[in-house]
Amino acid sequence: MKLQQLYCTSKLLLFYVAIIACYNVAAQEEFVPPQATLLTKFSFTQLSGGIIIVRARIDDIADTLNFVLDTGSGGISLDSETVVTYKMVTAISDKTIRGIAGIKTVAFTNNHSLQLPGLAVQHLDFHINNYDLLTSVYGVKIDGIIGFSFFRRYIVKIDYDLLKIEILAPGTIKYPNGGYLMKPNFSSLVFPQAQIADERVFTNRFIFDTGAGLCMLLSEDYVTDSMVLRKKSRRYPTQAEGLGGKKTMDITVIKSVQIGGYKFKKVPVYIFADDYNVTSYPLLGGLLGNDLLRRFNITLNYPEQSIYLKPNSHFKDEFDYSYTGLGIYQIEQNIVVVDIMPNSPGEKAGFKPDDIILSIDNNFSNNVQVFKTALQNAGNIVRILVLRKGQPLLLKLRIKNILRS
């Protein structure tokens, strides 16, 4: 009897081994996607707030144009002046685009190629928008924005340490050790989860937006309904620029923002009345901007609907806690004070609209990026030489530190 039981047990073991062997054979024959292959690699430049500028050409036009690399854009676009300059054929459409300051119907210029260094991206339909305001903000001609229509075709690696971009054909990819693989929700935009903490702690989805030159933007509705902020939080009025023009906002500091296992403490956050529901509240709470995201080297894998973050040398960079209440723009060849928030350090220092900034602490570069960097020295006093109605005037500006208020 025992011998028969042993025999039956042996038969069962052989049966299980046979099943396992069959599954092993099946696994060995499983389809494996091809390896992702490098198509090109090139440099980019970075503007204030971490904004990425990529140089590229359109079709066979000889001139090289400036594009913002923007995961917060659901398509791809060209500046209206650029379209006119190069006499591109346009087509009326009924499609609308939405931004923080408005909604507008846009025309298109269709079936163009984007000539990146070492790569031609064919059959792209560009919607047309006016980027004069962005050009004034950054002091660099903004010819267009590269968004979803491009990202959906490739794997894109962004290295903020080397200021390099790699573009790969879709396929199997090995991510570097020491990072975090996100599986966010995807549509034409990307919505990862993040946790914010101040008076209360909340986990929500936010737009992953490399085209936003700030750390984080929250809708006023989200802040009110969640009661996430401390009641005594100090908020300072300021402005930001987006589709449709300028938008008045508040800036404050919250205790922490956490993405995956990475926590940032005392993060500057902008809060705005989302009149056009850009953040799709209550589905989303706001957006994560590139002044936060630039602290990682990023792999954007839209074909596999994943994003990989690895902390880089900027991970522990100091946040920008400065506050002046001044809105400065490049207008033609001058750096001009356009906006002054009431009761701000800028107003108290005596600035007036249309003041032309000649120098900051004896820096006469006339470069809006350099001047904006000089105004990020929170807590310092800077000496600013302005031209007002043809007369030079020296003003002393104490830059507010919003962290210590």
Side-chain angles (χ1 to χ4, degrees):
M1 184 66 177
K2 289 183 179 179
L3 185 61
Q4 185 177 6
Q5 288 177 341
L6 181 61
Y7 175 76
C8 291
T9 302
S10 300
K11 292 283 285 184
L12 285 171
L13 286 172
L14 287 171
F15 178 69
Y16 291 140
V17 169
I19 291 175
I20 292 169
C22 287
Y23 277 114
N24 286 339
V25 170
Q28 290 169 359
E29 294 179 354
E30 183 180 0
F31 173 74
V32 178
Q35 291 291 318
T37 54
L38 179 65
L39 299 175
T40 188
K41 178 191 297 187
F42 53 86
S43 299
F44 65 86
T45 56
Q46 212 170 353
L47 305 180
S48 57
I51 300 299
I52 296 171
I53 296 293
V54 171
R55 304 275 288 167
R57 295 186 299 108
I58 299 294
D59 301 330
D60 57 357
I61 296 171
D63 296 336
T64 305
L65 307 178
N66 296 317
F67 289 86
V68 177
L69 197 69
D70 185 4
T71 58
S73 169
I76 192 166
S77 62
L78 283 169
D79 176 53
S80 52
E81 181 183 335
T82 301
V83 170
V84 171
T85 298
Y86 297 107
K87 300 177 181 178
M88 299 179 185
V89 177
T90 63
I92 297 172
S93 82
D94 59 357
K95 293 186 178 180
T96 60
I97 55 175
R98 179 173 53 175
I100 62 171
I103 298 174
K104 63 181 293 187
T105 302
V106 292
F108 278 76
T109 180
N110 296 321
N111 198 27
H112 294 282
S113 65
L114 180 70
Q115 307 285 339
L116 293 164
L119 178 66
V121 187
Q122 305 289 347
H123 309 302
L124 290 169
D125 297 335
F126 292 80
H127 69 262
I128 302 167
N129 201 2
N130 186 325
Y131 294 130
D132 285 350
L133 183 58
L134 291 183
T135 294
S136 295
V137 169
Y138 294 115
V140 174
K141 176 68 172 74
I142 302 299
D143 292 292
I145 290 176
I146 297 173
F148 176 74
S149 299
F150 168 76
F151 290 119
R152 67 185 177 87
R153 302 186 184 198
Y154 303 103
I155 299 172
V156 180
K157 293 183 176 181
I158 305 172
D159 188 325
Y160 289 97
D161 290 323
L162 301 177
L163 298 182
K164 295 282 188 183
I165 289 174
E166 293 183 7
I167 301 176
L168 296 85
T172 302
I173 182 171
K174 180 176 174 56
Y175 296 108
N177 294 330
Y180 169 61
L181 181 63
M182 294 195 299
K183 284 292 188 178
N185 289 353
F186 267 79
S187 61
S188 58
L189 302 181
V190 184
F191 313 116
Q193 279 192 342
Q195 182 188 89
I196 63 172
D198 203 56
E199 180 69 23
R200 303 174 71 184
V201 179
F202 278 88
T203 299
N204 293 93
R205 293 196 178 273
F206 299 88
I207 300 169
F208 190 96
D209 193 351
T210 61
L214 43 75
C215 288
M216 198 168 199
L217 178 65
L218 302 177
S219 73
E220 187 72 65
D221 287 340
Y222 172 76
V223 169
T224 301
D225 292 348
S226 67
M227 296 186 291
V228 67
L229 293 184
R230 289 162 291 169
K231 292 181 180 179
K232 295 183 179 180
S233 292
R234 185 74 183 272
R235 292 165 59 161
Y236 298 90
T238 186
Q239 280 188 333
E241 300 78 20
L243 177 65
K246 302 172 188 176
K247 180 74 174 178
T248 300
M249 301 185 177
D250 289 339
I251 185 171
T252 189
V253 177
I254 62 174
K255 286 183 181 179
S256 68
V257 175
Q258 184 167 340
I259 307 171
Y262 306 113
K263 179 179 283 189
F264 300 93
K265 296 181 178 179
K266 299 177 181 177
V267 180
V269 171
Y270 287 78
I271 302 167
F272 78 123
D274 191 2
D275 299 321
Y276 301 97
N277 201 19
V278 175
T279 61
S280 300
Y281 181 79
L283 295 177
L284 306 174
L287 62 83
L288 300 168
N290 218 36
D291 203 21
L292 196 64
L293 301 177
R294 69 176 181 82
R295 298 158 197 273
F296 301 92
N297 289 338
I298 300 172
T299 302
L300 302 167
N301 192 344
Y302 278 48
E304 292 296 325
Q305 298 193 350
S306 61
I307 294 177
Y308 190 78
L309 305 177
K310 183 174 182 180
N312 60 29
S313 62
H314 304 286
F315 187 77
K316 295 184 179 180
D317 281 1
E318 184 84 359
F319 289 111
D320 177 15
Y321 299 115
S322 62
Y323 175 68
T324 65
L326 297 177
I328 65 173
Y329 301 85
Q330 180 170 312
I331 300 176
E332 295 180 348
Q333 301 304 313
N334 297 319
I335 312 303
V336 182
V337 175
V338 176
D339 305 303
I340 305 168
M341 295 292 107
N343 301 313
S344 68
E347 185 182 66
K348 293 175 182 177
F351 283 90
K352 301 293 183 183
D354 300 324
D355 282 350
I356 297 173
I357 297 179
L358 301 177
S359 72
I360 299 180
D361 283 344
N362 292 318
N363 183 311
F364 288 84
S365 65
N366 199 41
N367 184 310
V368 70
Q369 293 289 314
V370 172
F371 285 174
K372 285 186 175 183
T373 299
L375 296 177
Q376 291 176 351
N377 293 317
N380 288 2
I381 297 175
V382 293
R383 290 166 173 79
I384 303 179
L385 182 65
V386 303
L387 190 67
R388 181 181 297 169
K389 296 181 179 180
Q391 298 297 317
L393 179 66
L394 185 65
L395 300 174
K396 293 182 181 180
L397 173 66
R398 182 181 293 275
I399 303 172
K400 180 74 176 177
N401 187 335
I402 62 173
L403 186 61
R404 297 175 186 158
S405 52

